[in-house]
Amino acid sequence: MPDIVTIGEALIDFISVQKGALIENSSGFMAAPGGAPANVAVAVAKLGGNSGFIGKVGADSFGKMIRNALAEAGVGLKSFKMDTSVNTTLAFVATGENGEPDFTFYRNHCGADIALRPDELDVGYISEAKIFHFGSLNFTNEPLKSATIRAVEIAAGGKRTISFDPNLRPSLWESLRTAKVEMENGLEYADIVKLTEEELEFLTGTAHLLKGTDLILKYGPRLVVVTRGGMPTFFNNGIITCEVPAFEVDFVEATGAGDAFVGGMLVSMLERMKVGLPMYEMGEDEVREMLTFANACGALTVTKKGVIPALPFLKEVQSFIDNNV
């Protein structure tokens, strides 16, 4: 069974070939498999970890493209579903002049990822994993929401480590109020939380890193990490707080950088678990080493277009760190 299992959306990103233009001004798009939980599973696999993905795509050409990409990366597909009654979810992505991605999703009422049902879950696949990861977009629609809650409850019941990514995408929620409520529900299940500055302020009402992450910790997580693009990454576990510098790279496209970061962080934490080191009681030097590795994973990802093709292999990350630290 996989050591790290993710659940949620696997989709096709149609990425604008035109840099600095919003979707409505783009001249063309390239198709690439994506979806945050699927990206994390691939990131883990490409870094040498043993990962599996739980999710649903359509039994169409796009679904086959995703299946092939995950299989090629080495992701376990025992709980990967292809359904003839729904179409694979699509997302159109462009990068505006500010460097931030602009998304339009073809998902509501038709996306295959939201059609995953609780009765389709393999209990053993979840309960035997060491780390279970999910994101907030799992809570936007039924039956995926119920399937995710059931999966998280199985993981929690087996005392598995639970990782959560709030992953704010306003266009996919009926309201921002609903989004906040559901993200707060996700925080209550989580041991590990990775979020952006925007998501931190959205959830806590403050942009102050220490105050905001302290508020996140009150929901129950054991550690919180805030990624900040080219600014230092912030860490808080209630005992240690520190900032670890980001890497300067030639930026191409931001989509998936956070997923690459999560994959790197989870692989590092899994290695601690395997050698009997405590997951959360880390010294500052250990925290810095973990976040430097995760930052390198994210930095390498933004130097290429398309998330899954851009996610780095372990040797690439090690070489990058050797040359830049």
Side-chain angles (χ1 to χ4, degrees):
M1 292 290 187
D3 292 322
I4 298 175
V5 170
T6 73
I7 186 171
E9 70 272 16
L11 49 78
I12 296 294
D13 287 319
F14 282 89
I15 301 169
S16 173
V17 298
Q18 191 171 344
K19 189 173 182 179
L22 297 178
I23 289 173
E24 60 263 34
N25 299 321
S26 296
S27 58
F29 298 85
M30 58 170 279
N39 294 338
V40 171
V42 172
V44 169
K46 293 180 78 169
L47 293 170
N50 183 5
S51 67
F53 173 72
I54 302 171
K56 181 177 285 191
V57 299
D60 50 33
S61 296
F62 292 132
K64 292 173 185 176
M65 183 186 295
I66 294 169
R67 180 195 61 196
N68 293 344
L70 298 184
E72 183 178 351
V75 175
L77 297 180
K78 182 180 178 183
S79 290
F80 179 85
K81 310 291 184 184
M82 300 186 75
D83 193 327
T84 58
S85 66
V86 285
N87 294 323
T88 299
T89 302
L90 308 178
F92 288 80
V93 189
T95 302
E97 292 182 357
N98 61 359
E100 291 300 314
D102 171 32
F103 289 93
T104 294
F105 291 89
Y106 283 74
R107 182 176 188 250
N108 289 342
H109 312 299
C110 64
D113 70 296
I114 62 178
L116 183 71
R117 305 188 309 271
D119 65 284
E120 294 179 296
L121 298 174
D122 182 332
V123 173
Y125 199 73
I126 299 165
S127 62
E128 294 184 26
K130 293 180 174 64
I131 299 174
F132 185 78
H133 174 79
F134 71 107
S136 65
L137 298 190
N138 292 33
F139 293 154
T140 60
N141 298 80
E142 291 287 4
L144 177 61
K145 177 181 175 180
S146 294
T148 300
I149 292 172
R150 172 63 178 145
V152 173
E153 288 174 345
I154 292 168
K159 300 188 183 303
R160 306 296 91 181
T161 295
I162 299 175
S163 167
F164 175 58
D165 179 1
N167 196 21
L168 179 61
R169 295 285 182 263
S171 65
L172 290 177
W173 295 95
E174 63 180 35
S175 71
L176 288 178
R177 181 179 178 182
T178 300
K180 185 176 180 181
V181 168
E182 295 294 359
M183 288 179 184
E184 290 172 337
N185 290 338
L187 292 174
E188 293 180 356
Y189 288 111
D191 299 303
I192 300 167
V193 175
K194 196 291 296 184
L195 68 172
T196 65
E197 284 183 291
E198 177 190 17
E199 291 156 355
L200 180 70
E201 185 170 4
F202 175 73
L203 284 167
T204 66
T206 178
H208 191 282
L209 294 172
L210 180 57
K211 291 179 181 178
T213 52
D214 278 345
L215 289 170
I216 296 293
L217 289 171
K218 289 182 179 180
Y219 286 92
R222 304 290 298 277
L223 66 84
V224 183
V225 178
V226 184
T227 54
R228 306 165 64 209
M231 299 291 289
T233 300
F234 185 82
F235 174 93
N236 186 358
N237 66 355
I239 301 170
I240 295 170
T241 60
C242 66
E243 294 188 18
V244 178
F247 291 96
E248 291 186 12
V249 293
D250 293 329
F251 176 86
V252 174
E253 203 239 327
T255 311
D259 304 328
F261 180 96
V262 171
M265 183 171 64
L266 296 184
V267 165
S268 295
M269 298 196 76
L270 178 65
E271 290 306 308
R272 292 182 61 82
M273 188 185 301
K274 286 183 174 180
V275 298
L277 293 173
M279 287 279 284
Y280 309 109
E281 298 169 17
M282 293 181 274
E284 185 171 334
D285 287 346
E286 293 172 304
V287 171
R288 290 184 178 280
E289 182 179 1
M290 177 183 73
L291 296 187
T292 296
F293 181 79
N295 279 343
C297 294
L300 285 168
T301 301
V302 305
T303 63
K304 301 175 184 177
K305 278 189 177 288
V307 180
I308 287 178
L311 293 168
F313 289 97
L314 180 60
K315 287 184 178 180
E316 293 178 86
V317 179
Q318 292 172 331
S319 176
F320 179 81
I321 291 173
D322 289 343
N323 293 324
N324 290 276
V325 175

